[in-house]
Amino acid sequence: LHRTYVRLLPLLAAIDQALAENPRVLLAIEGGAKLVVCPGFLFEEPIYLAQDKYPDVHFILLDGEPHDADYNYKTNDNVMPILFQEDQAGFLAGYAVVKDGYTKLGFMGGMAVPAVIRFGYGFVQGAEFAAEEDGITGLEIMYNYTGAFSATPEAQSMAASWYQNGTEVIFGCGGAVGNSVMAAAQEKNAKVIGVDVDQSAESETVITSAMKLLSNSVYDGVKDFYDGSFPGGKTSVFTVANNGVGLPM
């Protein structure tokens, strides 16, 4: 028993450290929360550890699946990981802007993480599909990852140069990267596609947004929790078919 306890000490220390790096999770649990919603892939490792330490607490993990530092995945029954078919949302955005008459497009992603990559690939496929339907042969698409999710002068300068060289609309895909694109679009009287949520309120340059309908997915998870049918232990994928992604109406 003593040897077992000693072996557990490093694991318990690792759990405490991971949760300390995401104090909002720990604060929610210590505050008595029985259901905690965690947004983003940065919570994957803390939830991997917390699911064992707090088996009576349920977690909804948006945009991620629990894994350890070596990417060994495990999802307990008290965790509902939610992923989105970002390629479908990107497809709809690309299709819509080409149908609206735009043929010189840009995709500016943040870090090349799977969600951002899927958004970009879908965007290109949707634009190309619409162009083929309409017999458009002059479709042009600029494509770049900035390597970060922050607004930077470099990202704004790149977006401005694309607009200067004829790009009509840029899909700003990656957190605050979109703010850099919006700033460039305002200077150049150009257009932007938002991401994740309807970003039209943030800038008049935003003509549509490739959306994850986060409220729908979280509502479903919360409702199932209170109905006693929490879908833990497996990943739930939200798509166009179950009203998980789309464009603003």
Side-chain angles (χ1 to χ4, degrees), residues 19 22-33:
L19 291 173
N22 290 272
R24 287 170 294 178
V25 176
L26 195 56
L27 285 172
I29 295 170
E30 291 178 345

Side-chain angles (χ1 to χ4, degrees), residues 96-221:
V97 295
V98 171
K99 285 293 185 177
D100 278 349
Y102 298 99
T103 58
K104 295 178 176 17
L105 316 179
F107 174 84
M108 187 169 293
M111 294 175 64
V113 297
V116 175
I117 293 171
R118 288 193 292 268
F119 267 127
Y121 285 0
F123 177 66
V124 171
Q125 291 169 352
E128 290 178 343
F129 189 82
E132 184 176 348
E133 278 190 342
D134 291 352
I136 296 171
T137 57
L139 184 67
E140 299 177 11
I141 304 177
M142 302 292 291
Y143 205 98
N144 183 70
Y145 297 105
T146 66
F149 289 129
S150 54
T152 64
E154 292 79 12
Q156 183 174 337
S157 177
M158 177 176 290
S161 70
W162 287 6
Y163 286 132
Q164 184 66 36
N165 290 322
T167 299
E168 300 165 310
V169 56
I170 297 175
F171 183 7
C173 182
V177 171
N179 298 108
S180 296
V181 176
M182 291 176 202
Q186 288 171 344
E187 292 179 357
K188 300 297 183 180
N189 193 30
K191 302 300 180 185
V192 178
I193 298 167
V195 71
D196 288 339
V197 297
D198 182 0
Q199 293 191 288
S200 60
E202 297 183 35
S203 172
E204 61 184 12
T205 65
V206 177
I207 56 174
T208 192
S209 298
M211 297 172 57
K212 300 175 185 177
L213 301 175
L214 301 169
S215 58
N216 292 345
S217 60
V218 173
Y219 175 85
D220 287 353

